């Protein structure tokens, strides 16, 4: 099948919310190929523990590419324990300059409880404004919904879950089957 005919993989919404001394990353479970749902229970949010330091992360994009990046991030964290921003910048530099890594198509949201970062293949390591970040096909829907709730008395997990429910209602590439990981500052 020629690449022009390939309908392409779609799907995933990941949100990260920092509020009240806690960070929550939530992701849906849908994987779609064109207009077909291939799987509804994919797990796109993970907990890493390099050197005993917990980091939570969520990914959007190609699963194989994301796992490659997560493995690289884990190695960077082992080399710089407790320094998520530094490890993330080192990963982004490698991703941007390495000919093999440049072809990887994924984005990451990562947190150690203190920092909340978005890492992109363009070499960006972004700390989001308003303590909330979202990526993936329904990312903008989840981001808008989450930002609207940030001034409420709701905790980080409630905001993440409710924002994901709104995104799932709007985005056909997002479902309500969530994986949620939380970490305290």
């Amino acid at each position: 099948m020629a690449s022009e005919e390939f309908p392409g993989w779609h799907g995933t919404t990941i949100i990260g919310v920092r509020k009240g001394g806690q960070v929550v990353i939530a992701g849906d479970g849908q994987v779609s190929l064109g207009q077909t749902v291939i799987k509804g229970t994919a797990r796109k949010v993970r907990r890493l523990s390099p050197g005993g330091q917990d980091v939570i992360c969520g990914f959007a994009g190609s699963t194989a590419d994301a796992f490659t990046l997560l493995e690289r991030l884990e190695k960077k964290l082992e080399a710089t324990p407790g320094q998520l921003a530094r490890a993330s910048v080192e990963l982004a530099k490698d991703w941007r300059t390495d000919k093999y890594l440049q072809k990887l198509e994924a984005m990451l949201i990562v947190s150690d409880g203190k920092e909340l970062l978005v890492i992109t293949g363009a070499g960006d390591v972004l700390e989001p404004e308003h303590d909330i970040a979202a990526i993936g096909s329904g990312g903008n829907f989840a981001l808008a919904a989450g930002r609207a709730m940030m001034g409420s008395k709701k905790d980080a997990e409630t905001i993440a879950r409710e924002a994901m429910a709104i995104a799932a209602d709007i985005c056909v590439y997002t479902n309500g089957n969530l994986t949620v990981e939380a970490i305290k500052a």
Side-chain angles (χ1 to χ4, degrees):
M1 181 183 278
S3 63
E4 299 85 55
E5 297 171 24
F6 187 74
W9 296 97
H10 290 282
T12 290
T13 300
I14 304 292
I15 189 167
V17 179
R18 178 175 45 206
K19 187 174 181 185
Q22 183 180 44
V23 177
V24 172
I25 297 180
D28 78 306
Q30 183 166 312
V31 177
S32 303
L33 178 59
Q35 297 177 347
T36 304
V37 175
I38 301 299
K39 185 174 182 175
T41 58
R43 194 166 174 270
K44 304 169 206 165
V45 176
R46 305 253 189 251
R47 181 176 295 268
L48 305 175
S49 296
Q53 305 269 336
D54 279 353
V55 172
I56 56 174
C57 50
F59 61 86
S62 165
T63 304
D65 292 355
F67 281 146
T68 299
L69 293 168
L70 291 176
E71 287 173 9
R72 294 269 181 141
L73 178 61
E74 204 162 17
K75 288 178 184 167
K76 299 289 183 189
L77 286 165
E78 287 170 354
T80 59
Q83 298 181 56
L84 180 62
R86 182 174 174 190
S88 297
V89 167
E90 291 300 317
L91 174 65
K93 285 188 336 192
D94 289 354
W95 195 353
R96 179 92 172 134
T97 58
D98 184 280
K99 288 182 183 183
Y100 166 72
L101 294 177
Q102 284 176 354
K103 294 179 170 81
L104 301 182
E105 296 180 4
M107 290 181 75
L108 305 174
I109 294 179
V110 299
S111 180
D112 59 1
K114 296 178 286 273
E115 298 177 281
L116 176 64
L117 304 170
V118 177
I119 308 171
T120 75
D124 300 315
V125 177
L126 307 169
E127 184 167 9
E129 293 182 334
H130 312 290
D131 291 325
I132 189 165
I135 58 175
S137 57
N140 288 336
F141 305 122
L143 179 63
R147 282 196 52 196
M149 291 183 257
M150 286 299 283
S152 73
K153 293 182 180 186
K154 296 175 181 179
D155 65 5
E157 184 169 343
T158 301
I159 291 170
R161 286 182 180 279
E162 290 182 10
M164 289 296 293
I166 290 168
D169 284 346
I170 298 169
C171 179
V172 298
Y173 299 114
T174 302
N175 71 14
N177 187 0
L178 301 181
T179 302
V180 178
E181 288 282 351
I183 191 168
K184 293 188 189 248

